Amino acid sequence: MAQDVEEQVALSAQVVEQNLGFGDQVHQPRPIDHLAGFRSRKAAEAAGEELVAAGYRVDGLYRRLLTVWLEFSAMTAVDHATAAAFTRQVVGIVNRHGGTYDGWGGFLVAADDEAAPGA
């Protein structure tokens, strides 16, 4: 069963809001890690090939119990529009290969020290 793309976009929006609450400079690009699970190595590899063609880097492929996990990443900003766009893209690719998208994460980007009060 394919994942609901809009549900995943809503979850991404929650992550962006949480990051903004921590003072993250969401428009600044940074490495963002993604994770998706598949029933077979063949499906995970096919999704990985499509993700690479879309500009992502495959960082790992491993089996744990009955799931083959695909780790992939890209340098990107995480503002609302960008996060919604990459979430739609990734969930679409993962769905086409019968997988389940587990979400994304990355480090926060602090404001420049020069812009901070008292700097």
Side-chain angles (χ1 to χ4, degrees):
M1 182 170 124
Q3 276 185 299
D4 183 317
V5 174
E6 294 310 313
E7 181 179 317
Q8 290 297 315
V9 169
L11 291 171
S12 283
Q14 290 175 6
V15 174
V16 174
E17 284 300 315
Q18 184 178 30
N19 289 357
L20 285 167
F22 290 127
D24 188 16
Q25 304 300 300
V26 296
H27 289 87
Q28 294 297 320
R30 82 285 308 272
I32 294 298
D33 300 318
H34 302 264
L35 184 64
F38 298 86
R39 292 183 183 197
S40 73
R41 185 174 190 89
K42 182 178 178 181
E45 289 173 343
E49 289 174 10
E50 192 171 345
L51 288 159
V52 167
Y56 295 85
R57 181 182 81 191
V58 171
D59 300 311
L61 183 67
Y62 59 93
R63 177 176 290 282
R64 182 165 294 146
L65 300 176
L66 300 176
T67 304
V68 178
W69 293 100
L70 177 66
E71 297 174 339
F72 54 102
S73 62
M75 280 292 280
T76 185
V78 294
D79 58 276
H80 280 290
T82 305
F86 71 62
T87 299
R88 283 188 177 95
Q89 179 184 45
V90 167
V91 172
I93 291 170
V94 170
N95 279 348
R96 277 194 289 282
H97 297 281
T100 302
Y101 183 56
D102 196 49
W104 59 271
F107 291 105
L108 303 178
V109 176
D112 292 339
D113 289 341
E114 295 173 8

